[in-house]
């Protein structure tokens, strides 16, 4: 059977001060993704290699890695597409590395909470016994932003986030927009407080790389630009109009 | 124990030349740099307005100054860069703006097309004014 | 590692951050905001396996539907092993739960006038399955998780692995867990504990289940003395992609997909599932129940009418006649998965599929309040067995189940916690004991590889507890598993690091899987009849006289497994014949 070489980023914090690369030869099989190759390494060659994975069907968002320089879901990136190799596998960029391919992402978890990603509305008149109506076209307004699997590929691709981790970042803003644009939601103004800060939407200089990196077609770059328009509109309104008109 | 742990995290740094690592990053930096040309035109316009305000003599001197070869080259270059800048912004506008007509989203091509049409129309009007 | 003190305590600790766990957490917070509730999860909650569910969630909402019909479909689908009081209550509350999720923002697919749309599903006589395209579980989980963020009393322990229940005087009062990032071992005290750890499909080699579905919660409860109910009932889903085991949702057949053998023939018509029609007919042919469809596949293979591939025999799922537009609108994920993982396009190509282990009907025994026989211990979701699924779960009943019983578990645990006294002194000693065990495990050198033992277990299970079973093979599997238990006890972890040690997790998961594998083969060996997903070639008929009863597996002090039986609750639907397509 043909083989291919994986060059894998290793970092064992208890044993070494700096990361190294380790090479493993794995079978080059047509239907193997990079994740299958890593599992082969872990089961057959080196049990100490650490990485996250779960669903191996591109929906849980755990298996993001940098494959030959690009942020990818390793369960959906095939060896044959990178043959003859070697394939370099590194952790996602722009995040601290806990160990090997495992990154530290509590920063995102906090930012996600900060944008209040839940329906905000006055529920006093809602009837729990029926649905809130929403037409397919109304759903279309926010649908693509609701497809985010929190895989962090966009953060890894974003140079702004790399230079300043205070930037709230693509996925968190896309998720804020997911709720802002939902016809059932009335919370846009509350979310604007966080979004219109310096590290909010204005941190983004529209590199657009997040949208290219996204495996789920979320288009965070578009979401950010749309949020900028809203924030700018609100700022102008606040400046020009007395409170009771707004 | 926990403090140790946080120190042990490996922090990845963004290399100084990060924008050379990828064509799209490079294009982005070029796009950002073209805004210098736009700034230059604003400055130039202000200078023009000042000279017009200061009287015919000043205006003549401004025209002579502008006719120098290096100024022509500079302005031509700035024009080229400003056009690039405009086009890149038109390209991204459909992403940022969602326009709905009768419940249907206007496709991005149509939106960008409208921008180009408007751009050419305004340019034509100006050209007419200048030539007339 | 730090000393094993009980460093933090909560009123309610929930182990598991999937649909059931998050729903329970919200229920606790809503019962009384002063209660402190912790969610301990070995992965970030939004990575939980609920995220993979595709097809939909059932609840009677359509005008022409009724609660009773949903009960009947569920009970007959479960081959009369369901507790009918539980099913009735489930069916009533499912609707309210799905509506609540709608109010929380779940993007359910809609009809043009803005109402929630429903689709057909296997074994259901009416259209009653709510769906969010074919990413229902994904939307459901993210909606729940994001909504849970607004409840302040919820403390999360993300990427903490629970290793043991702390039991004091017959009452559960906390868990021991490892923080994966740092390797810290901690005892988390609680007045009530809810297990919501999901299924255990990874006991088998070929499964739709994610890597994390290792039955941990079932093993925790079993070791603490709670019985596991109906463990022999393991559901095979008829349509998994070969090699990866990725699921092609039943919705593909509900929308009109056909199953074809190697001659292009809709073979289900030969197995008493009805006659083929171009349009899908409810409770017929491709929309029959999963157990019957998977069994039909085995017979087709035996007749040599399946297609051979490097990953075993397959049949074809034909979606081509649905057309690109319908596939894009109703089954976008099916297309995405086929394109990305199989490199075929269902719009143009036939999709190769074969039966794949999908769901555990069995689990920790609970009553309708989600309470287990152990004081202070509750369980909900796939890890529990109430039982509403009987001998065969109907597709799209599990998502509403995790909501209905997640909410019930949360409410019951909250009520219990408000009454309960703080934990006694025995707990600290147990925590110390557990810490010692874990440290020894980390330091243990040599032995066999974890992966090798795991593979051996998986193949034993496939051979003995697959779609068809027999007494001899099961008896042999009992011995093999005993032997594997011993080998696992001697095996070293192979990684001594304290930082994000995934190998330590694998060792602990293997131990859990071996325990539940034993409970499965013991229960299967003792049930000398065929019912639903449990088919014995040596006892091919259903036997209501001896086995209209739940198997209860108890762990003996020596590690062995004792089986007892408990009667099934029948309210209004006496056992009858399961009729499909007639
Ligand atoms: C591919 C697929 C498709 C499906 N489609 C459908 C469908 O269309 N309709 C339907 O009704 N059902 C469907 N199901 C079934 C349904 O998705 C599951 O039964 C259900 O999601 C289980 O939810 P849960 O909350 O019980 O567990 P899970 O979502 O699996 O969550 C388990 C949680 O427990 C945690 N955990 C586990 N062990 C530990 C431990 N030791 N320490 C700490 N935390 C732990 C995990 O981190 C996780 O958060 C599908 C299943 C699969 C596999
Ligand atoms: S926006 Fe896309 S790339 Fe970013 S986290 Fe979400 S799914 Fe991943
Ligand atoms: S393993 Fe879940 S997205 Fe790759």
């Amino acid at each position: 059977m043909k083989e291919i070489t994986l060059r894998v980023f290793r970092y064992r914090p208890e044993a070494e001060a700096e990361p190294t690369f380790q090479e493993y030869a794995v079978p080059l099989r047509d239907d193997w993704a990079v994740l299958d190759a890593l599992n082969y390494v872990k089961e057959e060659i080196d049990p100490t290699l650490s990485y996250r994975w779960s669903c191996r069907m591109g929906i849980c968002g755990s298996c993001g890695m940098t494959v030959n320089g690009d942020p990818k879901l390793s369960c959906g990136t095939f060896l044959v597409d990178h043959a003859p190799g070697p394939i370099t596998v590194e952790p996602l960029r722009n995040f601290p590395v806990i160990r090997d391919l495992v990154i530290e992402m509590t920063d995102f978890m906090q930012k996600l909470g900060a944008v209040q990603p839940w329906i905000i509305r006055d529920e006093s008149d809602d009837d729990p016994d029926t649905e809130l109506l929403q037409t397919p076209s109304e759903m279309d307004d926010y649908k693509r932003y609701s497809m985010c699997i929190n895989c962090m590929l966009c953060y890894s691709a974003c140079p702004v986030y790399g230079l300043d981790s205070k930037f709230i970042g693509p996925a968190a803003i896309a998720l804020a927009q997911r709720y802002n644009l939902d016809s059932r939601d009335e919370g846009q103004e509350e979310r604007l407080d966080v979004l219109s800060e310096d590290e909010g939407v204005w941190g983004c200089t529209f590199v657009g790389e997040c949208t290219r990196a996204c495996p789920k077609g979320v288009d965070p770059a578009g979401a950010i630009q749309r949020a900028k328009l809203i924030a700018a509109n609100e700022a102008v309104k606040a400046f020009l109009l007395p409170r009771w008109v707004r | 124990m926990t403090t140790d742990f946080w120190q042990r995290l490996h922090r990845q740094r963004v290399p100084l030349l990060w924008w050379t690592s990828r064509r799209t990053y490079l294009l982005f930096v070029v796009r950002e740099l073209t805004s210098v040309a736009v700034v230059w035109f604003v400055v130039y316009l202000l200078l023009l307005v000042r000279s017009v305000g200061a009287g015919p003599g000043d205006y003549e001197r401004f025209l002579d100054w502008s006719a120098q070869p290096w100024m022509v080259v500079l302005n031509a270059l700035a024009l080229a860069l400003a056009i690039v800048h405009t086009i890149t912004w038109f390209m991204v506008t459909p992403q940022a703006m969602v326009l709905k007509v009768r419940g249907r989203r206007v496709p991005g091509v149509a939106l960008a097309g409208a921008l180009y049409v408007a751009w050419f129309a305004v340019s034509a009007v100006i050209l007419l004014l200048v030539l007339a | 590692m730090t000393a094993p003190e009980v460093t933090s305590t909560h009123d309610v600790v929930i182990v598991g951050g999937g649909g059931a766990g998050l729903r329970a957490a919200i229920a606790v917070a809503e019962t009384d905001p002063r209660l402190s509730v912790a969610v301990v999860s070995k992965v970030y909650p939004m990575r939980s396996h609920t995220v993979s569910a595709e097809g939909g969630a059932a609840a009677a909402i359509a005008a022409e539907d009724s609660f009773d019909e949903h009960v009947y479909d569920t009970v007959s689908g479960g081959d009369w092993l369901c507790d009918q009081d539980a099913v009735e209550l489930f069916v009533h509350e499912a609707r309210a739960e799905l509506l609540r999720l709608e109010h929380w923002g779940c993007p359910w697919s809609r009809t043009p006038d803005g109402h929630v749309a429903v689709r057909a599903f296997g074994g259901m006589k009416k259209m009653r399955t709510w769906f969010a395209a074919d990413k229902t579980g994904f939307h459901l989980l993210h909606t729940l998780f994001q909504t849970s963020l607004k409840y302040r009393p919820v403390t999360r322990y993300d990427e903490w692995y629970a290793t043991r229940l702390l039991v004091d005087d017959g009452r559960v009062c906390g868990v021991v867990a490892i923080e994966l990032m740092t390797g810290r071992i901690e005892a988390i005290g609680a007045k009530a504990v809810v297990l919501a750890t999901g299924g255990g499909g990874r006991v088998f080699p070929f499964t739709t289940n994610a890597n994390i579905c290792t039955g941990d919660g079932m093993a925790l409860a079993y070791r603490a003395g709670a019985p596991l109910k109906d463990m022999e009932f393991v559901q095979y889903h008829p349509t998994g992609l070969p090699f990866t085991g990725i699921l092609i949702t039943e919705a593909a057949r509900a929308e009109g997909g056909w199953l074809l053998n190697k001659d292009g023939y809709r073979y289900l018509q030969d197995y008493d599932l009805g006659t083929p029609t171009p349009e899908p007919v409810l409770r017929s042919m491709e929309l029959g129940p999963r157990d019957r469809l998977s069994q039909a596949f085995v017979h087709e293979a035996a007749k040599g009418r399946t297609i051979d591939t490097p990953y075993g025999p397959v049949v074809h799922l034909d979606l081509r006649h649905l057309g690109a537009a319908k596939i894009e609108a109703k089954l976008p994920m099916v297309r995405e998965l086929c394109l990305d993982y199989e490199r075929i396009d269902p719009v143009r190509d036939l999709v190769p599929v074969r039966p794949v282990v999908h769901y555990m009907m069995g689990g920790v025994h609970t009553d309708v309040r989600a309470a287990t026989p152990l004081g202070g211990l509750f369980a909900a979701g796939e890890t529990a067995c109430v039982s509403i699924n009987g001998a065969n779960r109907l597709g799209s009943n599990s998502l509403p189940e995790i909501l209905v019983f997640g909410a019930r578990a949360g409410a019951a645990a909250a009520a219990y916690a408000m009454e309960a006294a703080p934990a006694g002194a025995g707990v600290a000693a147990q925590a110390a004991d557990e810490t010692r065990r874990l440290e020894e495990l980390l330091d243990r050198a040599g032995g066999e590889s974890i992966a090798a033992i795991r593979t051996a277990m998986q193949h034993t299970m496939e051979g003995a507890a697959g779609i068809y079973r027999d007494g001899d093979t099961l008896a042999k599997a009992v011995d093999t598993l005993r032997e594997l238990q011993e080998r696992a006890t001697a095996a070293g972890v192979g990684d001594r690091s304290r930082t994000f040690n995934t190998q330590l997790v694998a060792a602990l998961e293997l131990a859990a899987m071996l325990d539940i594998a034993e409970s499965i083969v013991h229960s299967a060996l003792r049930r000398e009849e065929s019912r639903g997903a449990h088919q014995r070639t040596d006892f091919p008929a259903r036997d209501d006289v001896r086995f209209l009863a739940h198997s209860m597996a108890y762990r003996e002090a020596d590690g062995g497994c004792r089986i007892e039986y408990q009667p099934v609750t029948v309210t209004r639907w006496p056992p009858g014949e399961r009729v499909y397509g007639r």
Side-chain angles (χ1 to χ4, degrees):
Chain A
M1 165 148 302
K2 277 210 283 203
E3 290 196 332
I4 189 163
T5 303
L6 291 189
R7 260 185 87 237
V8 183
F9 179 103
R10 298 301 309 269
Y11 175 59
R12 282 151 295 197
E14 291 136 312
E16 53 201 12
E18 284 301 315
T20 52
F21 278 91
Q22 195 162 341
E23 296 199 348
Y24 304 100
V26 300
L28 174 58
R29 291 176 44 170
D30 279 356
D31 41 15
W32 271 19
V34 171
L35 179 62
D36 296 307
L38 292 173
N39 285 341
Y40 173 85
V41 172
K42 191 164 178 70
E43 286 181 10
E44 305 290 332
I45 309 174
D46 183 351
T48 68
L49 182 63
S50 292
Y51 48 95
R52 292 188 179 104
W53 69 288
S54 181
C55 70
R56 55 85 187 82
M57 55 189 276
I59 191 79
C60 76
S62 354
C63 70
M65 298 171 195
T66 305
V67 179
N68 278 347
D70 293 327
K72 291 281 182 202
L73 292 180
S74 56
C75 69
T77 306
F78 288 82
L79 297 179
V80 281
D81 295 335
H82 295 274
I87 303 178
T88 305
V89 186
E90 296 162 275
L92 286 178
R93 305 242 160 97
N94 299 340
F95 292 92
V97 179
I98 297 174
R99 173 179 174 180
D100 296 343
L101 301 167
V102 181
I103 54 143
E104 207 283 313
M105 57 172 279
T106 44
D107 177 50
F108 169 75
M109 298 306 283
Q110 265 149 22
K111 286 172 174 163
L112 179 65
V115 302
Q116 309 187 49
W118 53 79
I119 295 277
I120 300 174
R121 67 184 264 124
D122 175 6
E123 291 165 7
S124 43
D125 291 338
D126 291 351
D127 175 4
D129 221 29
T130 58
E131 65 268 61
L132 306 169
L133 295 185
Q134 181 167 71
T135 63
S137 134
E138 282 170 331
M139 188 182 328
D140 256 2
D141 288 343
Y142 68 89
K143 184 94 201 191
R144 78 183 302 185
Y145 304 136
S146 74
M147 293 298 183
C148 173
I149 62 172
N150 304 170
C151 66
M152 302 295 97
L153 300 195
C154 52
Y155 283 77
S156 181
C158 175
V160 177
Y161 183 67
L163 293 166
D164 177 9
S165 63
K166 286 211 229 32
F167 174 44
I168 191 157
I173 299 176
L175 283 162
Q177 278 296 89
R178 175 249 174 275
Y179 285 94
N180 281 341
L181 297 171
D182 190 319
S183 58
R184 297 165 289 187
D185 182 82
E186 298 160 357
Q188 174 164 307
E189 231 168 286
E190 278 175 56
R191 285 184 205 103
L192 213 55
D193 292 343
V194 183
L195 292 187
S196 53
E197 281 170 12
D198 285 350
E199 293 88 20
V201 289
W202 303 114
C204 167
T205 49
F206 210 170
V207 184
E209 207 46 32
C210 50
T211 291
R212 268 181 290 273
C214 177
K216 296 288 140 185
V218 174
D219 188 19
I224 299 173
Q225 304 322 306
R226 291 179 70 180
K228 278 185 189 167
L229 276 182
I230 298 172
N233 262 332
E234 290 300 316
V236 170
K237 268 201 239 158
F239 185 67
L240 294 179
L241 301 177
R243 181 156 280 279
W244 56 271
V245 196
R246 274 186 263 147
Chain B
M1 155 95 217
T2 18
T3 38
D4 282 6
F5 172 79
W6 291 102
Q7 284 162 6
R8 285 203 320 246
L9 287 178
H10 169 67
R11 313 259 163 196
Q12 308 185 75
R13 269 182 237 308
V14 178
L16 217 54
L17 294 181
W18 62 270
W19 45 276
T20 54
S21 66
R22 186 181 275 277
R23 211 177 71 96
T24 44
Y25 285 168
L26 192 71
L27 281 178
F28 156 74
V29 170
V30 168
R31 188 190 82 208
E32 292 294 287
L33 285 178
T34 54
S35 54
V36 173
V38 177
V39 171
W40 162 247
F41 277 128
V42 171
V43 171
Y44 186 74
L45 191 72
L46 287 175
L47 289 175
L48 172 73
V49 169
R50 195 187 64 172
S51 63
V52 170
D58 262 328
Y59 180 60
E60 283 301 319
R61 233 168 301 136
F62 181 82
L63 286 185
D64 289 344
W65 177 68
S66 301
Q68 294 171 86
W70 68 271
M71 272 300 286
V72 175
V73 170
L74 180 69
N75 271 330
L77 192 72
L79 178 67
L81 291 180
I83 289 176
V84 170
H85 192 82
T86 313
I87 293 176
T88 52
W89 275 111
F90 282 6
M91 264 159 39
V92 297
T93 314
Q95 246 184 318
M97 247 167 77
V98 172
L99 206 65
K100 282 197 154 188
V101 176
R102 276 192 235 105
R104 287 256 200 106
R105 190 175 165 167
V106 177
V109 209
L111 212 64
L115 288 172
Y116 280 104
V117 169
W119 183 26
F120 287 129
V122 171
S123 305
V125 169
I126 293 175
L127 207 65
L128 274 179
L129 282 178
V130 173
L131 294 181
Chain C
M1 275 176 206
T2 44
E5 298 149 32
V6 180
T7 22
S8 40
T9 50
H10 300 272
D11 291 302
V12 180
V13 164
I14 296 167
V15 186
L22 292 172
R23 185 65 192 86
I26 294 176
V28 176
E30 286 189 334
T31 304
D32 187 342
R34 284 166 309 182
L35 292 174
S36 102
V37 44
V39 176
V40 179
S41 176
K42 65 180 174 179
V43 295
Y44 280 102
M46 70 279 183
R47 316 279 189 229
S48 302
H49 187 57
T50 299
V51 82
S52 314
E54 300 173 19
I61 190 172
E64 64 280 8
D65 200 358
S66 69
F67 290 139
D68 274 6
E69 284 173 284
H70 191 181
V71 176
Y72 178 78
D73 285 343
T74 303
V75 169
S76 58
D79 219 348
W80 274 271
L81 197 68
C82 316
D83 283 328
Q84 296 178 8
D85 53 341
V87 179
E88 288 191 59
L89 175 156
F90 157 73
V91 158
H92 280 86
E93 290 177 18
R95 186 188 133 101
E97 281 297 328
L98 297 190
L99 281 169
R100 183 160 301 140
L101 220 69
E102 194 281 326
H103 287 242
W104 283 337
C106 186
W108 297 114
S109 293
R110 306 284 177 148
T111 56
D113 60 359
H115 289 280
V116 167
V118 285
R119 66 163 38 134
F121 235 70
M124 302 272 193
K125 189 72 192 167
K126 289 281 160 65
M127 306 243 272
R128 64 167 71 97
T129 297
W130 303 33
F131 57 105
D134 53 1
K135 292 194 179 178
T136 311
F138 162 77
H139 285 299
L140 188 145
L141 184 66
H142 281 253
T143 302
L144 272 176
F145 177 59
Q146 289 164 9
T147 304
S148 80
L149 296 175
K150 83 175 175 202
Y151 293 91
R152 301 258 161 251
V154 180
T155 309
R156 288 206 327 270
Y157 292 73
D158 291 343
E159 301 198 317
W160 285 64
Y161 185 97
T163 67
R164 174 168 178 172
L165 294 175
L166 296 170
V167 189
D168 186 42
D169 201 14
R171 204 186 104 210
V172 174
C173 24
V175 300
V176 176
I178 310 172
E179 183 183 37
L180 296 182
M181 191 152 82
T182 59
R184 200 171 72 200
I185 300 172
E186 211 173 289
I188 307 172
K191 291 184 183 151
V193 172
V194 178
L195 293 172
T197 50
R202 287 271 156 184
V203 173
F204 290 81
F206 185 60
T207 173
T208 60
N209 284 197
N211 185 40
I212 55 173
C213 299
T214 49
D216 300 0
M218 298 178 196
L220 291 178
Y222 185 53
R223 291 174 197 155
L228 300 181
K229 184 160 81 190
D230 292 339
M231 290 302 288
E232 63 274 40
F233 297 98
V234 175
Q235 179 167 75
Y236 275 77
H237 192 293
T239 59
L241 293 177
F243 176 56
T244 56
I246 291 175
L247 176 81
I248 298 300
T249 170
E250 196 159 286
R253 281 170 282 131
E255 296 298 340
W258 298 328
L259 283 174
L260 308 177
N261 69 12
K262 79 170 195 240
D263 308 318
Y265 171 72
R266 288 175 72 185
Y267 61 92
L268 294 177
Q269 57 191 290
D270 297 355
Y271 300 95
D272 193 20
L273 282 156
T275 41
T277 48
E279 291 299 316
V281 174
L282 294 156
R283 272 183 78 116
S284 162
M285 288 296 291
E286 281 83 0
L287 288 180
R290 292 175 178 171
D291 54 341
R292 297 277 299 274
L293 265 58
S294 296
Q295 289 151 19
F297 173 91
V298 176
H299 294 293
E300 265 321 87
K303 289 179 195 157
R305 301 203 299 194
T306 49
I307 302 106
D308 285 321
T309 74
Y311 304 109
V314 301
V315 288
H316 283 142
L317 177 66
D318 188 356
L319 302 176
R320 297 171 302 181
H321 54 285
L322 302 183
K326 183 157 189 181
I327 292 178
E328 266 306 312
K330 296 285 185 64
L331 305 166
M333 175 130 151
V334 166
R335 190 168 188 198
E336 191 181 308
L337 289 171
C338 287
L339 285 169
D340 293 353
Y341 292 85
E342 205 74 16
R343 299 184 173 219
I344 53 173
D345 185 351
V347 171
R348 281 181 283 103
D349 309 312
L350 293 167
V351 183
V353 291
R354 55 174 297 217
V356 54
V357 169
H358 183 57
Y359 185 86
M360 299 260 172
M361 269 69 78
V364 183
H365 167 56
T366 73
D367 61 19
V368 290
R369 295 175 313 129
T372 72
L374 275 187
L377 185 67
F378 301 80
E382 193 169 337
T383 220
C385 179
V386 183
S387 115
I388 65 151
N389 297 312
N392 172 59
R393 172 181 76 103
L394 288 193
S396 76
N397 263 354
S398 173
L399 291 178
E401 177 185 358
I402 65 180
L403 297 172
V404 168
F405 291 98
R408 287 182 152 254
Y416 185 94
M418 290 195 273
E419 304 289 309
V427 166
Q430 270 179 49
D433 194 45
E434 178 66 358
T435 309
R436 218 169 308 120
R437 178 181 83 94
L438 292 169
E439 295 199 338
E440 272 167 25
L441 176 61
L442 257 183
D443 289 339
R444 192 191 300 153
E448 257 181 294
S449 91
I450 303 288
I453 302 171
R454 187 172 57 216
T455 310
M457 168 197 69
Q458 290 170 333
H459 287 105
T460 307
M461 291 305 284
E462 184 171 57
I467 299 176
Y468 283 97
R469 304 152 172 195
D470 66 75
D472 290 346
T473 323
L474 282 167
K476 260 188 232 117
V478 166
D479 296 337
T480 315
L481 287 174
R482 256 313 66 202
E483 196 186 299
L484 288 173
Q485 285 276 25
E486 272 155 36
R487 280 159 62 185
T489 330
V493 165
D495 181 353
R496 291 186 177 179
S497 167
R498 314 269 147 160
T499 313
F500 219 97
N501 190 333
T502 49
Q503 199 57 16
L504 173 63
V505 172
L508 293 168
E509 288 175 337
L510 174 64
M513 288 193 286
L514 282 167
D515 281 356
I516 67 165
E518 286 201 294
S519 73
I520 294 172
V521 292
H522 275 103
S523 308
L525 181 60
R526 286 287 305 277
R527 186 177 285 275
E528 296 177 333
E529 66 155 354
S530 291
R531 183 188 296 271
H534 174 73
Q535 295 291 317
R536 287 277 300 255
T537 49
D538 43 354
F539 296 94
R542 192 172 90 188
D543 182 352
D544 286 339
V545 179
R546 287 175 67 205
F547 289 109
L548 187 61
H550 301 295
S551 336
M552 311 285 271
Y554 290 86
R555 190 181 150 100
E556 304 266 58
D558 65 354
C561 178
R562 179 181 88 247
I563 306 289
E564 292 177 9
Y565 290 95
Q566 176 175 306
V568 169
T569 311
V570 175
T571 57
R572 289 189 280 145
W573 294 270
E577 192 198 350
R578 294 172 81 199
V579 179
Y580 292 96
R582 278 189 268 143

